[in-house]
Amino acid sequence: MGSEHGPRSSPHRSDTTLRVNGKPHTLTVDHRRVLLDVLREDLDLTGAKKGCDHGQCGACTVLVDGRRVNSCLLLAVALDGSDITTVEGLSGDGEDPHPLQRAFLERDAFQCGYCTPGQICSAVGALAEAESGHPSHVTDPAAPSGRPVVLDRDEIRERLSGNLCRCGAYPRIVDAVEDVTGAGST
């Protein structure tokens, strides 16, 4: 190994800039490291949880460029230049919680809380998808294409089906998301 690579660069590491919760972070990242590990271990953002490490439980869900993703499956180096939002950054610079965070608290939409950050990030992404007109498996095929999708309980359940809750708080999670969409009744 020659000295031309220096300590910050090697055949297996690259400088990578991630804009996390509105702040740029340039890190030298091993090409094999996933986003979840970089968030938790390098940036001390522990909201996203390591659940299955196979993209099946959703505990690690964050938003990358506004889209919800399983951070345990994405190589951090491949996200160079991306905007990443974790549960810690949903409220922005303000002290008030994001409306979904508030609704989860008000509806007691969690028990142990392990999956809650991923559930909330997934719900934020699902709301944006529906607003942009992206259909789900249960969207009425006769619904006009490209128009916002109305989020009833079936739509919410389908769109959040990739996020598992071992405690079974699903009814309250759906209630919380309904409260934010304005479709729910108290």
Side-chain angles (χ1 to χ4, degrees):
M1 194 167 180
S3 62
E4 70 274 5
H5 293 294
R8 294 189 50 81
S9 176
S10 80
H12 305 291
R13 296 171 66 81
S14 295
D15 286 345
T16 303
T17 301
L18 305 173
R19 188 167 176 79
V20 182
N21 299 330
K23 297 178 182 136
H25 298 273
T26 300
L27 308 154
T28 303
V29 179
D30 185 301
H31 296 170
R32 299 164 292 187
R33 291 195 66 212
V34 294
L35 176 60
L36 176 62
D37 293 339
V38 170
L39 292 172
R40 292 182 60 81
E41 297 167 11
D42 298 346
L43 301 178
D44 294 322
L45 295 169
T46 58
K49 301 295 190 267
K50 187 173 283 226
C52 65
D53 234 3
H54 296 287
Q56 297 174 339
C57 73
C60 66
T61 304
V62 298
L63 302 170
V64 174
D65 295 330
R67 295 187 58 150
R68 56 192 170 144
V69 299
N70 291 326
S71 62
C72 73
L73 295 179
L74 298 176
L75 296 174
V77 71
L79 300 172
D80 189 31
S82 295
D83 284 316
I84 297 158
T85 305
T86 67
V87 71
E88 293 94 341
L90 286 178
S91 62
D93 289 334
E95 293 184 21
D96 291 331
H98 185 278
L100 274 165
Q101 290 170 316
R102 191 174 322 112
F104 267 64
L105 288 169
E106 290 171 359
R107 284 293 190 162
D108 197 23
F110 53 89
Q111 286 183 32
C112 79
Y114 195 82
C115 72
T116 304
Q119 296 276 2
I120 292 172
C121 283
S122 186
V124 169
L127 293 175
E129 290 165 11
E131 181 63 29
S132 296
H134 297 281
S136 78
H137 179 70
V138 299
T139 303
D140 181 358
S145 181
R147 295 215 181 118
V149 176
V150 176
L151 289 178
D152 60 17
R153 291 185 77 78
D154 288 338
E155 280 283 347
I156 294 168
R157 279 193 293 268
E158 172 65 24
R159 289 173 187 269
L160 298 183
S161 65
N163 290 77
L164 304 180
C165 174
R166 293 182 297 183
C167 300
Y170 299 115
R172 298 230 182 219
I173 291 168
V174 173
D175 291 342
V177 176
E178 261 189 335
D179 287 352
V180 172
T181 66
S185 59
T186 54

